[in-house]
Amino acid sequence: MLGGFYLVLRRVLRCPSGLAFALAMVTSAAAFASYHHVGPFGEPWVVRTFLFRFAAGLLLGLVFALRGLGVVVYLHAIYDVLLDLKTAGWPGFGP
């Protein structure tokens, strides 16, 4: 999504590179955060949760721009596994 937004902003709308990257980052991070709150399995809307995911979307977008999609996929997967371990109450993963 980040790459697509960037290309549209640069090639179709002729935005400068820095502006296109910033707008693509913010837009894709907002979409990433919003996606977790839609549909029958979406979480209830909570501003704190949305902002956390928005920040995570910005971080993952930056990693994507610097390192590529594979690293982002692995980071997200590792986060999901750690969160599942914490939720399951595994020792060393949570209070």
Side-chain angles (χ1 to χ4, degrees):
M1 184 181 295
L2 173 62
F5 284 152
Y6 178 79
L7 286 175
V8 168
L9 289 166
R10 286 286 289 153
R11 294 184 179 173
V12 176
L13 300 177
R14 308 260 191 243
C15 287
S17 181
L19 178 62
F21 181 72
L23 289 173
M25 284 281 290
V26 170
T27 305
S28 64
F32 173 79
S34 298
Y35 178 76
H36 289 83
H37 298 283
V38 298
F41 300 108
E43 293 185 26
W45 172 257
V46 177
V47 172
R48 182 174 181 229
T49 305
F50 176 83
L51 291 176
F52 174 80
R53 288 195 175 119
F54 178 78
L58 289 174
L59 177 64
L60 292 174
L62 185 60
V63 171
F64 171 73
L66 297 173
R67 302 295 300 165
L69 181 61
V71 178
V72 171
V73 170
Y74 279 116
L75 281 174
H76 196 305
I78 290 168
Y79 172 79
D80 289 344
V81 168
L82 292 175
L83 187 61
D84 286 345
L85 290 174
K86 179 181 176 186
T87 303
W90 277 49
F93 291 95

